[in-house]
């Protein structure tokens, strides 16, 4: 039994050796504990329902029900469960699909132990565990905005400042960088970000960037 004060993690990967390595890394941390392991997406969904982990460490490439579909099912049914996607490839369209489906972040599978551990903590806090510039590069590569959709009503409801901040987020700027660029306090930016996320229905930074690209507010390479 994992104590309540620990972040409960479910490991999902079709390779037992990978799961074992992750388990050793995570269980060695005073604030993390592995509550279960799944070898495919269907098992991940079932264990998420039963174990209610805080974070699911989700491999995207698995036989049967893959990690993208499993992420979609878990985040739709269990919104309190956060998913951290893992992929062998840095630029992988499945990563964008997983972010669309509700994953709270993405890390390459060859990430360092320190980065993996911190990624779990960041996603658990409700933040996006993707380096902002990597996120923009990923989405700029795989989200097509050559024929932008009509501006959604939610975007039309943004203030000028919120729209400006959304574009800066899509360009890979962090909150401190946005605050410096706009000459306002980080807390002011945080409040604006919270408001604009609520208006556009984005759970996190990753989904906000996708919205900006799909609406044509920013194009790949800008």
């Amino acid at each position: 039994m994992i104590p309540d004060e620990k972040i409960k993690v479910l490991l999902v990967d079709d390779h037992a050796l990978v799961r074992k390595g992750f388990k050793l890394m995570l269980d060695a941390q005073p604030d993390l504990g592995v509550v279960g392991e799944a070898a495919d997406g269907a098992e991940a969904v079932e264990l998420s329902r039963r174990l209610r982990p805080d974070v699911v460490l989700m491999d995207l490439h698995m036989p049967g029900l893959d990690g993208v579909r499993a992420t979609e099912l878990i985040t739709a049914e269990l919104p309190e469960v956060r998913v951290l996607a893992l992929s062998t490839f840095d630029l992988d369209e499945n990563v964008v699909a997983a972010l669309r489906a509700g994953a709270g972040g993405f890390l390459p599978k060859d990430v360092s132990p320190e980065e993996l551990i911190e990624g779990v903590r960041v996603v658990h806090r409700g933040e996006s565990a993707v380096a902002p510039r990597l996120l923009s590069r990923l989405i700029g590569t795989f989200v097509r905005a050559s024929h932008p959709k009509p501006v959604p009503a939610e975007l039309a409801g943004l203030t000028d400042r919120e729209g400006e901040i959304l574009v800066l987020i899509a360009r890979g700027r962090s909150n401190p960088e946005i605050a410096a660029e706009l000459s306002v306090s980080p807390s002011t930016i945080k409040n604006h970000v919270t408001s604009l996320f609520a208006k556009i229905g984005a759970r996190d930074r990753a989904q906000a960037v996708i919205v900006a690209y799909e609406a044509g507010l920013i194009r790949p390479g800008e």
Side-chain angles (χ1 to χ4, degrees), residues 199-216:
K199 288 180 180 179
I200 67 176
R203 279 179 47 150
D204 53 35
R205 218 171 186 83
Q207 292 189 341
V209 175
I210 291 173
V211 169
Y213 270 96
E214 289 191 325

Side-chain angles (χ1 to χ4, degrees), residues 62-73:
M62 296 180 291
L65 189 71
D66 67 18
V68 173
R69 180 60 178 150
T71 295
E72 187 176 26
L73 292 171

